Amino acid sequence: MIFTDRTRLHFLFDFISHNAYLAWHRARQIARMHSLEFEPVPVVFGAMLSAYGQIGPAEVPPKSAWMLRDVLRKAADLNLPIAPPHSHPFKSLLPLRWACCALEPSARLRLIDALWNATWAQGREVSNPAVLREVAAEQGLDAEALERETAGEAVKQQLRANTDAALAAGAFGVPTVFVRGQLFWGYDDLGAMTRFLEGRDPLGDAPDFSAWSNVKPTVQRRR
């Protein structure tokens, strides 16, 4: 997958991220406001962490506690329902594969939206195949056919390809948005993305970072 189509807003996500849940709703609104096609791209956050030798934010207890308060505030501001997940961190591989199924675009958006709500608004165990079948059936989709598709190699390869493409394009976490040649990361970067799309980016259209590329480290943390 290539993220250079200027008519699209590519939204890279993993259901494990509550910030991505919040950003999912806001980014869709921004895409509509700017006549951009919203393109959801499931990726494996754990693979991104491994690629850069990092641990997840939920694995740092003080950061996890801070993020909970921060996310609850944002959900209240957005008037979005949010509830404790069934478990966290959890295995998100199965719902991500369901999100990769070859559905008609509006049906795929409906399924992904329902998976987000199941995870972060209803506290359902979306790593459980039975729950995934329930969520799909609630959306009027053929749950058995989708489950068969997710067990096939094509869907597994699509998810791997999405994640590889994200890393190759410079993504390092979720949520990440690629739009009009720019990368924006995290819910808090959506404001900067909006200013960019409105032509109000304080850095202008073609900022020069060449001077910064010459800065060399004098100390590095040993991994």
Side-chain angles (χ1 to χ4, degrees), residues 100-119:
C100 287
C101 285
L103 290 166
E104 184 270 330
S106 64
R108 184 164 174 259
L109 279 174
R110 197 167 71 247
L111 174 61
I112 296 172
D113 198 46
L115 289 171
W116 277 121
N117 288 334
T119 306

Side-chain angles (χ1 to χ4, degrees), residues 53-129:
Q54 296 181 317
I55 62 172
E59 297 174 85
V60 182
K63 187 173 185 178
S64 180
W66 174 85
M67 287 182 68
L68 174 61
R69 293 190 296 273
D70 182 62
V71 165
L72 291 177
R73 287 192 190 102
K74 289 171 181 171
D77 286 341
L78 293 168
N79 198 29
L80 276 179
I82 192 165
H86 178 272
S87 61
H88 197 266
F90 59 88
K91 292 181 179 179
S92 59
L93 198 59
L94 275 182
L96 288 171
R97 287 176 180 167
W98 282 67
C100 287
C101 285
L103 290 166
E104 184 270 330
S106 64
R108 184 164 174 259
L109 279 174
R110 197 167 71 247
L111 174 61
I112 296 172
D113 198 46
L115 289 171
W116 277 121
N117 288 334
T119 306
W120 289 106
Q122 300 166 356
R124 295 163 75 177
E125 187 185 7
V126 293
S127 56
N128 185 331

Side-chain angles (χ1 to χ4, degrees), residues 63-216:
K63 187 173 185 178
S64 180
W66 174 85
M67 287 182 68
L68 174 61
R69 293 190 296 273
D70 182 62
V71 165
L72 291 177
R73 287 192 190 102
K74 289 171 181 171
D77 286 341
L78 293 168
N79 198 29
L80 276 179
I82 192 165
H86 178 272
S87 61
H88 197 266
F90 59 88
K91 292 181 179 179
S92 59
L93 198 59
L94 275 182
L96 288 171
R97 287 176 180 167
W98 282 67
C100 287
C101 285
L103 290 166
E104 184 270 330
S106 64
R108 184 164 174 259
L109 279 174
R110 197 167 71 247
L111 174 61
I112 296 172
D113 198 46
L115 289 171
W116 277 121
N117 288 334
T119 306
W120 289 106
Q122 300 166 356
R124 295 163 75 177
E125 187 185 7
V126 293
S127 56
N128 185 331
V131 173
L132 291 169
R133 291 193 297 270
E134 290 172 1
V135 172
E138 288 163 6
Q139 298 306 307
L141 301 172
D142 188 337
E144 291 184 2
L146 288 171
E147 186 170 40
R148 287 194 298 271
E149 185 178 351
T150 61
E153 189 58 32
V155 161
K156 296 176 183 178
Q157 179 56 38
Q158 183 62 63
L159 183 56
R160 286 193 293 266
N162 287 355
T163 307
D164 289 344
L167 288 167
F172 49 86
V174 291
T176 291
V177 174
F178 286 100
V179 61
R180 294 182 183 168
Q182 297 290 317
L183 180 156
F184 297 90
W185 171 64
Y187 177 86
D188 291 329
D189 215 11
L190 295 181
M193 182 180 78
T194 299
R195 291 191 295 275
F196 167 75
L197 291 172
E198 293 173 350
R200 299 188 294 111
D201 191 330
L203 298 181
D205 295 331
D208 182 5
F209 299 118
S210 58
W212 292 87
S213 64
N214 296 323
V215 177
K216 305 299 182 185

